[in-house]
Amino acid sequence: MNVLALLRQRFAAALSELVEDPAPLVDLVRPSQGAQFGDYQANCAMPLGKQLGKPPREVAQSIVDRLEVDDLCETPEIAGPGFINLRLKQDWLAQQVAAALADPRRLAVERAEQPRNFVIDFSAPNVAKPMHVGHIRSTVIGASLVNVLSFLGHQVTSDNHIGDWGTQFGMIIYGYKNFRDAEAYRSQPVAELGRLYRLVSRLVDYQEGRKHSLPELTAQVETQTAALAEPATEPADEKQAKKAAKARKQAENRLRETQQKRAALADKLGAVEADGEAGPLAAAHPNIDALVLEETAKLHAGDAENRRLWEEFLPVCLEELEKTYRRIGVTFDHALGESFYHDRLAGVVDDLKQRGLARTSDGAVCVFLDGFDVPMIIQKRDGAFLYATTDLATLQYRVETFAADAVLYVVDHRQSDHFKMLFATARLWGLDQLEMEHLSFGTVMGEDGKPYKTRSGDTVGLTLLLDEAVERAHRIVCENDDAKPGGAELSADERRQVAEAVGIGALKYADLSHNRTSDYVFSYDKMLAMNGNTATYMQYAHARVRSIFARGDVSEAELAAASAELMLEHPAERALALELLRFSEALDATAAEYRPNLLTNYLFQLADCYSAFYQQCPVLKAETDALRLSRLRLCYLTANTLRLGLALLGIQVVEKM
RNA sequence: GCGCUCGUAGCUUAAUGGAUAGAGCACUGGUCUUCGGAACCAGGGAUUGCAGGUUCGAGUCCUGCCGGGCGCACCA
């Protein structure tokens, strides 16, 4: 039961007698800001009063006169400039909670009236590279949206659009042909391919730095120095002088930055040259950057040898990814990577050309779009296709194969321009009925405010990250268990399992509880903080509830089957009951805006309500048996709601911790 | 230079144009013969970057400025 949706229906009926289109006004019915304003409030009288030219309080009264909510609400109150405050009836509230209790699988959450077909594109790592910290957000947010939308009755297809066809394979192929350690490849193929990738990547970076970046930076330093050396024109007034001084300061800062960048790059190049292994290889392969591109091009052109190698490497790489997904409990319906669409790209370009949407410019096939400075290039001068081409082919495939109504991309915000152009092109192309959303998020930053890297400048592997989180969780679990007054109660095995749930849960929750397009600051300490708005707090709340049942020797079946009316006399009981009922609202809001943080907010608030209840209302020691049962049932629904809510976020709960 | 995005308490942050900007961390004080103290309660701490504007009402929408992050044809 979604109480908010029900109230909105009632308001729609009342408002339709007063106004042509009640929809925008109905949206102004919402949960109250504070308990003093009741449980729900309607803010529609003010704008309607404006519209009708009548005093808002008068309008509020005429809405209330037409409103039929006697069955679920106390008499509505009109407050302030014209707010309508609603308070749910105690017995109605009790009935709704009982209905949720009677439905342990769905907790009385209704399915969407109009199920849609979603395709969610998330995670999307490059198979040749290990997943790193930047992949967490996409993976975790995407997976939770899949869960929530599916739970609400939508048809959801999850698709991991992996990068299995790009330059990184050219690197591995080149590395394999030139640098492989045959013995290592035989015994540890993944590790050896990883080593080859890193080695070649380093050598390519070296050559590109030597040939392009370093000269470019050197030139920049020169022009910036020259610009600073130019004599300043005499400022006309004080304001201009200030402006000029500021501009000069900025220019100085820019120069310093460029110099620093140049020095850092020079150091890096020097380090490669001085390296015992990489140094000689760099000297022996001066054109490795071009040669790698050649290997990639040969793969794309169907070269037998490269194709064979690709087919040999790919399963190995995929298995490595699969290990990580298994550990964090993420699965996909499909993993149709870039290579899957390879055969369709030429057709896409032809079709766009034929429809007059694309034309050749400067040798490249481009789609020029209104409102964009640059075109979207779908075929390079040398004939190669780009990711824009692949993305268009992918969209077409998803509409044709999955009958998608909506395609969601969980990708970091740096690609927002790309998606804007992609969607605009797709709409011109005829996909104008399709909802396309770029669910963007910020870059993962370290606590120093720079992209999260190790001290040596490498990106941090996801495996290491998980290990560290679980390790820290394990230490805390052990400490806590050892400190229990009745002695430790977890076996070594159980401690491991709990640490896994707590560590990985903390990592996921930290990502899910933020909804920022700005950058995300990664911090072990913050995500693993075992109090506050964290997964651990929720898991702990759950474990505490469960322990009541164990201690009180309570039968769950009895709780589920009980039929007596719930007693909600105590304010904390009532507040908890109301919060439990809002689960459905939280899920709908999460689905409507594709924002898992609305669900984490809800769960945190629920845990908070439970804490207050737990503190103020004795359960096992309640005054009467009836009250004891009623409170136990509230506990039971709380535990179930926490468990289900966390499960939808991809987070496990435990019985004891 | 053009574009996107963000700026809320010391820190991390919440808030579909609605009432007194809500939390957590940290800080201060309190609760306890523990239905699990990884807890709870209370308190201090915010001109929501600045200046205008729209509105009955602005953290939210518009304009300008300041500051951070990111992106700007043939990488993904």
Side-chain angles (χ1 to χ4, degrees), chain A residues 93-103 107 545-546 548-549 554-568 573 576-577 580 610 613 618-620 622 625-641:
Chain A
L93 194 53
Q95 280 165 27
Q96 299 314 312
V97 173
L101 272 161
D103 178 14
L107 308 183
V545 186
R546 300 295 307 176
I548 290 181
F549 301 150
V554 176
S555 142
E556 287 180 41
E558 264 175 48
L559 296 182
S563 58
E565 182 159 320
L566 283 142
M567 304 160 100
L568 305 175
E573 288 175 313
L576 177 59
L580 285 166
Y610 178 75
F613 159 81
V619 178
L620 293 176
D625 281 352
L627 190 58
R628 180 176 185 267
L629 178 62
S630 173
R631 287 180 175 169
L632 276 170
R633 290 165 74 199
L634 283 176
C635 291
Y636 187 54
L637 185 55
T638 302
N640 287 349
T641 306

Side-chain angles (χ1 to χ4, degrees), chain A residues 26-46:
Chain A
V26 164
D27 283 345
L28 296 173
V29 180
R30 48 191 69 167
S32 291
Q33 293 296 320
Q36 70 273 36
F37 304 129
D39 301 329
Y40 291 85
Q41 59 177 300
N43 307 331
C44 43
M46 284 83 80

Side-chain angles (χ1 to χ4, degrees), chain A residues 75-291:
Chain A
T75 309
E77 285 173 14
I78 297 168
F83 295 102
I84 301 170
N85 293 336
L86 302 164
R87 187 178 160 84
L88 297 175
K89 281 183 170 167
Q90 209 85 322
D91 56 346
W92 189 81
L93 194 53
Q95 280 165 27
Q96 299 314 312
V97 173
L101 272 161
D103 178 14
R105 257 178 44 77
R106 297 194 58 82
L107 308 183
V109 174
E110 289 148 347
R111 289 166 195 278
E113 279 170 31
Q114 295 170 329
R116 304 176 70 206
N117 258 336
F118 286 93
V119 173
I120 308 188
D121 181 323
F122 63 100
S123 199
N126 279 327
V127 292
K129 309 183 201 175
M131 277 200 269
H132 60 83
V133 58
H135 293 108
I136 304 177
R137 295 202 89 182
S138 173
T139 307
V140 167
I141 293 171
S144 71
L145 289 175
V146 170
N147 292 340
V148 170
L149 290 167
S150 307
F151 182 76
L152 291 177
H154 297 287
Q155 179 70 41
V156 183
T157 304
S158 55
D159 186 11
N160 194 0
H161 193 66
I162 53 183
D164 59 1
W165 197 241
T167 318
Q168 74 275 14
F169 263 102
M171 291 192 190
I172 296 191
I173 290 172
Y174 187 91
Y176 182 85
K177 288 181 178 174
N178 293 281
F179 308 133
R180 82 167 174 280
D181 175 336
E183 181 47 42
Y185 181 68
R186 201 162 21 247
S187 56
Q188 298 269 348
V190 179
E192 176 60 6
L193 289 179
R195 183 189 74 86
L196 290 171
Y197 170 77
R198 284 192 300 276
L199 175 61
V200 175
S201 166
R202 194 173 177 209
L203 295 175
V204 167
D205 279 352
Y206 170 79
Q207 296 300 349
E208 279 174 350
R210 188 177 65 84
K211 293 176 192 170
H212 308 294
S213 309
L214 193 63
E216 230 168 71
L217 286 170
T218 308
Q220 267 181 35
V221 169
E222 273 167 29
T223 54
Q224 286 174 4
T225 309
L228 274 171
E230 257 174 52
T233 47
E234 197 60 36
D237 53 41
E238 200 177 313
K239 208 171 159 189
Q240 263 190 20
K242 240 182 183 170
K243 227 174 170 178
K246 196 172 165 195
R248 185 170 175 85
K249 206 163 194 180
Q250 281 181 344
E252 283 168 0
N253 284 340
R254 260 201 307 276
L255 175 60
R256 201 172 319 127
E257 257 176 50
T258 314
Q259 282 169 332
Q260 278 169 4
K261 260 195 224 163
R262 191 190 169 280
L265 181 60
D267 281 356
K268 209 172 132 191
L269 298 182
V272 172
E273 285 159 13
D275 189 295
E277 188 199 7
L281 293 179
H285 297 259
N287 290 318
I288 192 169
D289 47 337
L291 293 172

Side-chain angles (χ1 to χ4, degrees), chain A residues 42-55:
Chain A
N43 307 331
C44 43
M46 284 83 80
L48 183 55
K50 183 84 177 165
Q51 195 180 322
L52 302 175
K54 288 186 192 163

Side-chain angles (χ1 to χ4, degrees), chain A residues 134 174 181 251 307 313 343 387 390 425 453 470 491 564 585 607 618 648:
Chain A
Y174 187 91
D181 175 336
R307 180 81 194 195
F313 298 156
D343 295 341
Y387 76 131
T390 312
T425 303
K453 298 265 170 77
V470 170
S491 69
E585 286 167 29
L648 294 176

Side-chain angles (χ1 to χ4, degrees), chain A residues 436-454:
Chain A
M436 294 171 279
E437 304 275 357
H438 173 209
L439 309 181
S440 77
F441 54 82
T443 314
V444 179
M445 310 291 265
E447 282 171 279
D448 55 359
K450 291 178 187 152
Y452 191 66
K453 298 265 170 77
T454 60

